[in-house]
Amino acid sequence: MENQIIAKQKNYIEKHYPYDIGLALSGGGAKGFAHLGALQALEEKGIRPDIIAGTSAGAVVGAFYACGFKPKEILKIFLEHDLRDFVSLTLPKEALLKYDGFRKFLEEKLPVKRFEELKIPFYAIATDFDKGECKVFTEGELVPKVMASCTIPIVFKPIMIDGVRYVDGGLFKNFPVTPIRDMCRKVIGVNVCPKQMEEYEDNILRVAIRSYLFLFKQNAVEDTELCDLLLEVDSIDDYSIFDLKNAYKIYNQGYTQMIELLEKINN
């Protein structure tokens, strides 16, 4: 009996994980620039993920990083654009905004076309809008699935992939720790929308976005508890999810808070 107990303990201790370090990046629109700052801080400490899972803004950052771009390179690419390059108003029949510019941007800037070509395994989290369930994309065409992960309903028209409509992954999994938790020895999580109490105007776009932010905050609770290292970037709460003009400030907050967190755990 004692030998059986020892054997079970040994198996538990020697459990094999396909990946050493996993990285989970939350949604949050322009607040996702904080992900880049956090990644820069991790790189400076010699910490690099072996697999990445991202929702919405986290999926965009994750896709670029998994392609091999450095955090500062990604920031520079975005700083060359403003919001008007990515989205524009449309007739409110199917959505409030159209994202043709953002699709074109991704197609031009991402150097690979498929998940299988990425340098780091990457999971993009979206929502199957027809079945009402979380969808984890790990293969196939990259841009449509990253777009799907970012497509907030009402604000944008759902993305059609293989006859199925997909929308923002934040509806079910805004902080995607769960999809990679069991495959990684350690998971680092960066949540850029821990509070989401930004000011808002009484117009249909802002009210719709604020409603979704409450959902995103609530469904992230379970995943925050599964991280080995958790950074919640609470210093950017006052920034809007469309606030590209403050991208550099948001980036710096992610960098500063990750540096502080790493120094705290090493002391």
Side-chain angles (χ1 to χ4, degrees), residues 231-243:
L231 174 63
E232 294 191 307
V233 191
D234 54 11
S235 59
I236 58 174
D237 290 335
D238 291 336
Y239 294 107
S240 163
I241 68 170
F242 291 126
D243 197 353

Side-chain angles (χ1 to χ4, degrees), residues 12 27-28 32 36 52-54 137 142 158 261:
Y12 177 78
L36 296 175
I52 303 168
F137 288 115
L142 184 60
L261 178 61

Side-chain angles (χ1 to χ4, degrees), residues 66-160:
C67 282
F69 288 100
K70 296 295 184 181
K72 288 184 178 179
E73 292 175 332
I74 303 170
L75 178 64
K76 183 177 183 295
I77 290 171
F78 276 89
L79 287 177
E80 294 171 350
H81 298 268
D82 60 33
L83 185 62
R84 291 172 296 181
D85 295 329
F86 299 142
V87 300
S88 58
L89 291 172
T90 185
L91 294 175
K93 180 180 179 181
E94 297 178 305
L96 298 175
L97 301 175
K98 58 181 179 180
Y99 40 57
D100 296 353
F102 190 56
R103 180 191 290 273
K104 182 180 179 182
F105 168 80
L106 292 178
E107 290 172 345
E108 291 178 349
K109 301 300 183 181
L110 288 172
V112 307
K113 303 302 180 185
R114 301 181 63 83
F115 281 77
E116 293 84 354
E117 301 173 74
L118 294 169
K119 296 181 179 181
I120 302 173
F122 168 59
Y123 287 11
I125 314 303
T127 296
D128 181 330
F129 204 46
D130 293 334
K131 294 182 179 179
E133 60 187 26
C134 181
K135 173 66 177 181
V136 181
F137 288 115
T138 62
E139 59 185 13
E141 290 186 79
L142 184 60
V143 169
K145 289 157 188 176
V146 172
M147 288 286 296
S149 184
C150 303
T151 302
I152 300 175
I154 300 176
V155 180
F156 300 109
K157 179 181 176 181
I159 297 287
M160 188 71 73

Side-chain angles (χ1 to χ4, degrees), residues 203-215:
N203 63 59
I204 188 171
L205 175 60
R206 299 296 178 180
V207 170
I209 290 172
R210 186 171 177 82
S211 300
Y212 288 120
L213 288 176
F214 285 126
L215 288 175

Side-chain angles (χ1 to χ4, degrees), residues 19 21-25 39 48-55 58-69 115 118-125 136-138 176 179-180 183-184 188:
Y19 304 102
I21 298 175
L23 177 66
L25 303 174
L39 278 167
R48 293 179 174 82
D50 301 295
I51 184 171
I52 303 168
T55 297
V60 176
V61 170
F64 274 94
Y65 193 74
C67 282
F69 288 100
F115 281 77
L118 294 169
K119 296 181 179 181
I120 302 173
F122 168 59
Y123 287 11
I125 314 303
V136 181
F137 288 115
T138 62
I180 59 172
M183 297 185 291
C184 303
I188 299 171

Side-chain angles (χ1 to χ4, degrees), residues 173-194:
K173 188 66 63 178
N174 196 54
F175 190 28
V177 179
T178 309
I180 59 172
R181 174 65 273 184
D182 290 342
M183 297 185 291
C184 303
R185 185 179 65 84
K186 299 286 185 181
V187 173
I188 299 171
V190 183
N191 184 5
V192 300
C193 284

